[in-house]
Amino acid sequence: GTFGDCDDLAVFQAALVRAVGIPARFMALANGRRGMAFNHVRTEASPAPGRWRSLDHLAPRTPVLRSTRLEV
């Protein structure tokens, strides 16, 4: 079954990470299709200053994408 899509999970992951005091941000990714600003979102967390880790559960199924950081 399904339980949502990438932006739903990214918001949930960011909330969990921030709840324990770790900074989190979103990364919007695009595959270059015309008319689409982005088509995938993932969360990044910073367990140590200046070190960001991807929390993308879909990484194995996502094609190579351009990235744009959205700090929220």
Side-chain angles (χ1 to χ4, degrees):
T2 58
F3 55 86
D5 54 17
C6 61
D7 56 329
D8 295 330
L9 187 58
V11 169
F12 180 67
Q13 287 174 328
L16 289 176
V17 170
R18 288 175 177 169
V20 295
I22 298 172
R25 66 185 181 194
F26 301 105
M27 171 88 63
L29 305 159
N31 67 1
R33 291 184 187 156
R34 289 184 179 182
M36 295 185 74
F38 65 92
N39 60 355
H40 184 57
V41 179
R42 72 176 185 222
T43 304
E44 291 186 338
S46 180
R51 298 190 65 182
W52 291 93
R53 306 274 181 176
S54 174
L55 302 178
D56 189 356
H57 74 293
L58 293 174
R61 295 181 269 165
T62 305
V64 176
L65 302 169
R66 288 190 332 253
S67 63
T68 303
R69 281 185 175 76
L70 298 175
E71 305 229 12
V72 181

